[in-house]
Amino acid sequence: MKLENIFPACFSCLDARQLEKLKDEIRRIRTPESFPAIIEKLQQSSAFPPYLKDLAHLELALYMCRENYVALPETINKIAQNPTLQLLKCGWRNLLSLLPENKFPQGIEVTPGENYVLVYFPPGSDRLVKKLASAEDLLALKIVVEQIQPELAAAEGGVTVGVINQILNNAIREGILIGPSSGIRRNPLAFPRGENIGEEYFFSPFFTLQWHITQTCDLHCRHCYDRSDRAALPFANGLAILDDLRDFCREHYVQGQVSFSGGNPLLYPHFLELYQAAAERGLITAILGNPAPRTIIQKIVDIRKPEFYQVSLEGMPDHNDYIRGKGHFDRVMNFLELLQELGIYSMVMLTLTRDNMNEVLPLAEMLRGKADIFTFNRLAMVGEGAGLQSVNQDEYSAFLEKYLAAARNNPCMACKDNLINIIHHQHNEPLFGGCAGHGCGAAFNFFAVLPDGEAHACRKFPSLIGNVFKQSISEIYHGELAAKYRAGSAACSTCSIRPVCGGCPAVVYGFGLDVFTDKDPYCFFQKPPSAGNSKR
């Protein structure tokens, strides 16, 4: 045991005379734990740096953390402190700058001042973390160690419970706390795992409620899949749903997200109040809507900047305005400039049909530098969308190849369609998460709720799984109907890329097929691309 190797920063702070005094004292030391006491003794009789004792405790903590590594428990049933973590109270600031592995800017001085330092191994990592503890880190530890309910902590701090939940989530993400694994998890026995499909595709750290709070819309698109007449969401029911979603996410140890949609969600009379209520509950907020005036968007940003704002374009100006209404294309392009100015992440979605397939790549070029993300969904021939023509099946794989080639040179082009993974598989390229990060995520890491409370596995086709006015989200999620949609089609049950694919059940439904037994009619996995043309 060489103390110079355990306490290198301490030794480097001393001159030759001080080192001699130190070496005289440490000849009798049998354990590193005695070293800080020796330093304290020498500080009382000699002109040793006044911060040296605290530095010795810091380096001892690093040593002990490495030598006495505590493995994480195999099963965790509640949020707890990371068992490797050590919390040190220091009377000096900037001690971390003295450690030999740190490369702090020149001129940083060690000065008096109380602070706390955290030393720990994050879960699944062999990299020892050394960091100053923030006020939020300390609060997270206090809540967990003293078993304080988030509601009580929020009331005492004069903040919303969402703020407390976010503090806890951040501490888990940093590895300061550990928590149970996500309860949103695929059954590995029901989902085959092919090569290059990692564990991350079998569980989700997020659950999204795609919330259609109103059917009212300022557009009448030719491919709209639902123009049914439903009363707008009662505001009191909306607040209850947000509370229920928060509880569901807590129970399943996931981060909740609300994607507000419609119709046009901004036309809901209580939109801002509902949006604020979601933010106050610590839920991620996003908007799937239409262009809106700056005044409205600024009010939204003042509450909380949305995770993203999604708008739609259906091709170049003439075709887009034929589908969505005259002047819509220009309004969207101007709106994208506003989103960019306000720093809001923008997404542009296109519904792919036979008539706009050749306009996708030119549109992508127009959106370069103007939108953060551009992608597409295939037409679901449902509702008014049944009046449009779906893409020719024998042309689709070639279209995907062209799209992927263009995407390599256009940073705004993103991949969403699950069938793109077939192309990646054919070229021995890494697979991606597909439509919802886990292939088809219908009733898995998301479901849709309509203004009257109906819950659907996917909004793009009738897939009723319950009603949130009558059942809890947990009851719906764990019900037989949701489980059936979650399992997907039996035709995909043995496919090696099933965890990141599963086709599109809305497309299957639009072709008049059975979503529980039939394969996506565009699937070209393990067969030539020329699978025949669509009859529609």
Side-chain angles (χ1 to χ4, degrees):
M1 175 189 67
K2 290 188 176 182
L3 293 178
E4 294 91 333
N5 295 335
I6 300 173
F7 302 94
C10 288
F11 277 78
S12 69
C13 291
L14 304 178
D15 59 29
R17 182 180 58 82
Q18 292 168 333
L19 283 172
E20 281 301 316
K21 286 189 175 183
L22 178 60
K23 288 178 181 178
D24 286 340
E25 291 288 340
I26 64 177
R27 288 193 182 101
R28 297 183 297 276
I29 291 181
R30 297 182 180 276
T31 64
E33 291 89 335
S34 304
F35 187 79
I38 294 296
I39 293 295
E40 184 175 12
K41 174 184 175 182
L42 290 171
Q43 280 181 324
Q44 294 171 357
S45 60
S46 305
F48 274 53
Y51 55 78
L52 203 62
K53 183 185 73 169
D54 278 7
L55 181 59
H57 279 295
L58 173 58
E59 291 198 286
L60 178 62
L62 297 175
Y63 169 76
M64 298 300 290
C65 201
R66 292 189 184 100
E67 290 296 305
N68 303 316
Y69 176 78
V70 179
L72 298 182
E74 292 185 5
T75 58
I76 303 170
N77 54 22
K78 65 178 182 179
I79 298 175
Q81 177 181 313
N82 184 329
T84 71
L85 183 137
Q86 295 196 41
L87 175 66
L88 286 83
K89 182 179 180 180
C90 301
W92 296 85
R93 298 186 182 278
N94 299 325
L95 286 179
L96 290 173
S97 67
L98 300 177
L99 298 178
E101 64 269 31
N102 288 339
K103 296 181 179 179
F104 280 72
Q106 294 294 324
I108 289 184
E109 296 183 1
V110 177
T111 57
E114 184 177 288
N115 63 105
Y116 292 84
V117 174
L118 298 174
V119 177
Y120 63 96
F121 284 101
S125 173
D126 58 1
R127 179 183 61 87
L128 186 61
V129 171
K130 302 147 313 243
K131 59 168 283 190
L132 282 177
S134 68
E136 291 188 350
D137 295 336
L138 297 174
L139 178 58
L141 285 168
K142 179 180 176 66
I143 290 171
V144 169
V145 172
E146 298 181 12
Q147 299 183 10
I148 302 171
Q149 289 298 316
E151 290 82 1
L152 293 178
E156 184 175 338
V159 296
T160 66
V161 71
V163 171
I164 299 300
N165 286 336
Q166 192 60 52
I167 288 172
L168 294 172
N169 289 337
N170 290 342
I172 293 173
R173 187 161 48 249
E174 289 280 334
I176 297 167
L177 302 178
I178 58 174
S181 57
S182 168
I184 305 298
R185 186 171 292 271
R186 299 279 195 196
N187 179 358
L189 299 178
F191 281 73
R193 179 182 296 180
E195 296 180 5
N196 302 321
I197 297 181
E199 173 67 18
E200 68 271 19
Y201 294 121
F202 284 79
F203 72 93
S204 174
F206 299 94
F207 180 80
T208 298
L209 196 69
Q210 185 177 334
W211 201 3
H212 298 258
I213 55 180
T214 180
Q215 295 290 87
T216 303
C217 190
D218 45 339
L219 302 177
H220 192 139
C221 304
R222 294 178 183 269
H223 64 312
C224 184
Y225 42 76
D226 184 7
R227 297 292 297 184
S228 60
D229 184 19
R230 301 172 191 258
L233 169 75
F235 182 63
N237 291 76
L239 295 178
I241 291 169
L242 289 174
D243 288 335
D244 189 23
L245 176 61
R246 181 190 62 195
D247 292 344
F248 173 84
C249 293
R250 278 188 189 173
E251 293 167 5
H252 293 78
Y253 295 97
V254 293
Q255 175 65 59
Q257 174 173 312
V258 179
S259 293
F260 289 98
S261 188
N264 183 352
L266 273 60
L267 297 180
Y268 176 65
H270 303 290
F271 173 77
L272 290 175
E273 297 99 307
L274 202 61
Y275 186 90
Q276 179 162 342
E280 289 175 349
R281 285 158 176 78
L283 300 166
I284 296 171
T285 50
I287 300 172
L288 286 63
N290 299 334
R294 173 188 288 269
T295 53
I296 295 177
I297 301 303
Q298 187 60 59
K299 289 179 180 178
I300 293 170
V301 171
D302 290 344
I303 296 171
R304 181 209 276 168
K305 188 181 295 185
E307 189 78 3
F308 63 84
Y309 195 117
Q310 179 179 301
V311 291
S312 296
L313 287 173
E314 309 305 338
M316 301 301 279
D318 288 346
H319 181 75
N320 177 80
D321 288 2
Y322 167 74
I323 297 293
R324 290 189 168 266
K326 187 175 180 180
H328 176 265
F329 187 93
D330 289 340
R331 289 197 299 274
V332 169
M333 297 302 287
N334 291 333
F335 186 63
L336 290 174
E337 292 182 5
L338 173 61
L339 295 180
Q340 193 171 61
E341 179 185 336
L342 296 177
I344 300 173
Y345 195 86
S346 61
M347 299 178 65
V348 176
M349 180 64 65
L350 174 142
T351 298
L352 188 68
T353 67
R354 191 174 305 185
D355 293 330
N356 68 3
M357 187 168 68
N358 292 330
E359 299 190 10
V360 172
L361 300 188
L363 177 61
E365 276 303 307
M366 288 190 68
L367 292 172
R368 182 192 291 266
K370 294 181 173 62
D372 291 298
I373 289 292
F374 167 65
T375 190
F376 66 89
N377 278 324
R378 280 174 286 149
L379 172 71
M381 294 183 289
V382 178
E384 296 183 5
L388 301 180
Q389 289 185 312
S390 190
V391 175
N392 284 328
Q393 291 162 264
D394 59 355
E395 297 176 0
Y396 190 54
S397 63
F399 165 79
L400 292 181
E401 292 274 13
K402 292 177 182 177
Y403 184 88
L404 288 172
R408 294 187 186 100
N409 299 307
N410 188 338
C412 82
M413 295 176 68
C415 295
K416 183 173 176 64
D417 194 319
N418 292 328
L419 300 190
I420 291 174
N421 272 318
I422 301 176
I423 302 288
H424 289 319
H425 179 79
Q426 291 174 340
H427 295 308
N428 293 316
E429 296 173 344
L431 305 179
F432 79 111
C435 180
H438 305 80
C440 177
F444 174 58
N445 62 336
F446 77 88
F447 61 64
V449 170
L450 307 188
D452 58 2
E454 282 190 2
H456 290 256
C458 173
R459 183 65 180 97
K460 293 173 64 180
F461 74 105
S463 48
L464 186 66
I465 55 176
N467 191 300
V468 293
F469 291 176
K470 303 174 182 178
Q471 304 159 274
S472 70
I473 291 175
S474 185
E475 288 172 332
I476 294 171
Y477 186 85
H478 294 290
E480 292 183 7
L481 288 173
K484 192 174 180 181
Y485 281 104
R486 197 154 49 241
S489 173
C492 301
S493 62
T494 60
C495 180
S496 62
I497 65 170
R498 171 63 184 91
V500 292
C501 189
C504 178
V507 171
V508 173
Y509 180 91
F511 272 83
L513 303 173
D514 189 327
V515 299
F516 301 117
T517 59
D518 293 321
K519 186 183 294 188
D520 188 319
Y522 288 87
C523 178
F524 51 94
F525 189 70
Q526 293 181 338
K527 65 180 181 180
S530 55
N533 290 329
S534 163
K535 295 181 181 180
R536 303 179 69 166

